Amino acid sequence: MAKKVLTRIPKEEREETPLRRRLRVARHTLLPVLLIVVTTLLVLGATLSLAGYDAGQAGAALWRGAFGSWHAITSATLVRATPLIILALGFAFALRGGALNIGGEGQFYAGAIAAAAVGLHVATWPAGLAIGATWTAAFVAGVVWISVPVLLKLRFGVLEAISTLLLNFVAEALVSWMVQGPLQEPTHIYPQSATIPESAVLPLLPGTRLHAGFALALVLAAVLWFVFSRTRWGFHLRAASYGPRVVEIISRRNVGGMLAVALLVSGGISALAGATEVGGVSRALYQNLSPGYGFTAIAVALLARLRPGAIILSGVFFGGLEAGAAAMQRDAGVPAVVVYVVEAVVIITLLLIEARGWRRREALAGA
Amino acid sequence: MTEVLIAGFLAATVRVATPLLLAALGELLAERGGSINLGIEGSMLAGALAAAMGAVWYGTTAGMVFAVLAGAALAAVFALITVKWGADQIIAGTAITLGSIGLTGAVYRMAFGTGGARLSIPTVSPIDVPLFSKLPLIGPALFAQPLTTYIGLALVPALWWFLFRTRAGLQLRATGEDRRAATAAGVNTVMHRVLSLVAGGMLAGLAGATLVLAQVGTFAEKMTAGRGFVAVALVVLGRWHPVGALLAALLFGAATALQYLFQAMALDVPYQLFIVLPYLLALVGLAGVLGRVKAPEELGKS
């Protein structure tokens, strides 16, 4: 019997060109994401029809409110996307190393308080300096706020997911006390702080409500991309979520310490969202400043598979969804809260894809 | 005067503690099986709305039943995606809660309209235990409470008995400690995890019903306000033991009731302090300051 001659290299052994690799990655990451988005919107439409709403009218209102005009895109969608992108970047920064920061909402408020408190005292400063001061203050406040869960994790092994979550409620109470106590506006009538001076207000894109916080979000995304893809520390952090022991041996780093740093930075980034919201949108500290941005951001980050560049896109998508939902409630009478259902469906679907991917990898590793 | 105040304080303590106790006992069951279910907040909220709808249309008993079913339904979804499909428990729980906020908000508006008028819901009245309810100080707190309080109190010894004195309880704990060993020993771990989660969801639903039918008398969006998350902390604070969960819930109730007491005594303390006190206590409890104790080994692993 003649020996079988290999005429072509088996597919697995063929060298992968960069282009092929990119295409493969795109197929594995982009396709499921697009599928999820489309399916979710279809399910939403079907549910609305079943509930007796005019799905076509609702969908049209959603589109008009989100992307239907230059005004809708800049003044509604991107303004809502800004805190979502920043918070999602914060969430992703910790989760890239395997730490779960569910306290984005609380850190948002910590940042908002710090930005308002500092913003009120920098009236005489030049604008750039004043804004820089509020952002720095917010970042520090976020780091301080999350340092409690970090300490509890390092010292007592407390699950950071639960401790950060619990601190959200403390932060909300703190805001409530601030706007009725130390930071209340001078007449002491309304539960809000005084309006911050012009120097601390973020510049707007002319003719729109889009503020400089969006630029900050883009810069942060670029920085995170650089840290994750171009620095050794970022590489080790990402590797730590797969095999902490291996990273400790290879890098001689203390993975616990790396995770602590990742969580602290994560808290700082999340707090910046509070600062841009106060400086760019509300211009004063209020209660209920965030309609649950911290939780929506989890969906934003997961939809982007924690990739900084993709977080911008998914942040804009969810920002559009929320802006559109507001229009949908106004024009078609559909309760805007249904976007939470959409978010939940997106998160769960992604989790399932992720979990199945894991199983495949584990099966391969075990073989 | 003082006696009235103290009796009122104790009664308020038990009243606040009841939904927390029910939810915490439910979460305790799930965690003993190795699942940390943050969706319990969603189960509670769904239970609250289901109780409101059931009570308005068919009466309070139907409200309770609806609430239990709604809580169980969400927990079943959680069980499906974490136990069967192996998704991350923390994120799945957060997603379930998020979905529940959206779903309850939408259904509430569809069922009762968007008007600003508060929904008035038939409530359950307290059941007085003859003679005992007239006891000084502790009478109103322990013997003149709605049915769900008695259910919660009765469940404490019942759960203790189940967990530590029955075969099924042992199997559930084994599932939570070492799933593979339990499976090897012939325990149906999947069944134990699913059933403990669903039973936990039922109790969370009942907790939501208590809020609506025995306390507030109306439904509002996001009305559970994180009580489900608190219940998760109470389980840790109570060291995964039913009696511990009861004590933790009472402690939490007392911290909240102090708020009313201080207001009644017109003390000038910011009320937000009492709002945060329970959360801080839970953090202290998580740190194990009250004594180290080991969590179920499989907790959080899908």
Side-chain angles (χ1 to χ4, degrees), chain B residues 7 16 70 72 82 90 118 126 130 182 214 223 239 261 264 279 283:
Chain B
V16 175
T82 60
I90 301 274
R118 269 163 63 102
M223 73 176 292
R239 306 162 92 178
L261 191 67
Y279 298 104
L283 278 177

Side-chain angles (χ1 to χ4, degrees), chain B residues 217-275:
Chain B
T218 186
F219 178 85
E221 277 176 35
K222 297 185 193 177
M223 73 176 292
T224 46
R227 284 182 182 82
F229 297 139
V230 171
V232 177
L234 291 181
V235 175
V236 187
L237 191 59
R239 306 162 92 178
W240 291 275
H241 195 286
V243 177
L246 171 66
L247 294 177
L250 286 175
L251 186 69
F252 212 109
T256 312
L258 261 183
Q259 187 183 327
Y260 309 138
L261 191 67
F262 273 47
Q263 275 171 5
M265 290 160 70
L267 289 180
D268 188 26
V269 183
Y271 71 90
Q272 290 93 350
L273 195 62
F274 296 99
I275 298 178

Side-chain angles (χ1 to χ4, degrees), chain A residues 192-219:
Chain A
Q192 65 183 66
S193 76
T195 307
I196 55 172
E198 206 53 44
S199 64
V201 171
L202 303 183
L204 299 181
L205 187 68
T208 70
R209 285 205 288 269
L210 185 61
H211 53 83
F214 187 68
L216 176 69
L218 298 182
V219 170

Side-chain angles (χ1 to χ4, degrees), chain A residues 51 53 91 95 100 102 148 152 155-156 158-159 161-163 165-167 169-170 173 176-177 180 291 295-296 298 302 329 335 337-338 340-341 343-344 347-348 351-352 355-356 359, chain B residues 36 38 81 83-88 90-92 94-96 98-99 101-103 105-106 109-110 221-222 225-226 229-230 232-233 270-272 275-276 279-280 282-283 286-287 292:
Chain A
Y53 292 101
F91 176 79
L95 192 54
L100 267 174
I102 312 282
V148 176
L152 288 176
R155 178 77 183 77
F156 301 105
V158 174
L159 275 180
I162 299 181
S163 52
L165 178 69
L166 284 175
L167 278 177
F169 300 98
V170 180
S176 157
W177 177 64
Q180 293 168 52
F295 294 101
T296 306
I298 297 176
L302 290 179
Q329 178 161 327
V337 281
V338 294
Y340 286 128
V341 183
E343 288 167 15
I347 295 178
I348 289 171
L351 274 182
L352 294 182
R356 293 181 66 94
R359 279 191 184 165
Chain B
I36 183 159
L38 292 185
I81 56 186
V83 178
K84 177 140 174 54
W85 291 332
D88 182 272
I90 301 274
I91 300 180
T94 316
I96 297 264
L98 208 56
I101 292 174
L103 211 57
R109 288 183 193 213
M110 288 174 196
E221 277 176 35
K222 297 185 193 177
F229 297 139
V230 171
V232 177
Y271 71 90
Q272 290 93 350
I275 298 178
V276 303
Y279 298 104
L280 297 180
L283 278 177
L286 281 167
R292 294 306 299 265

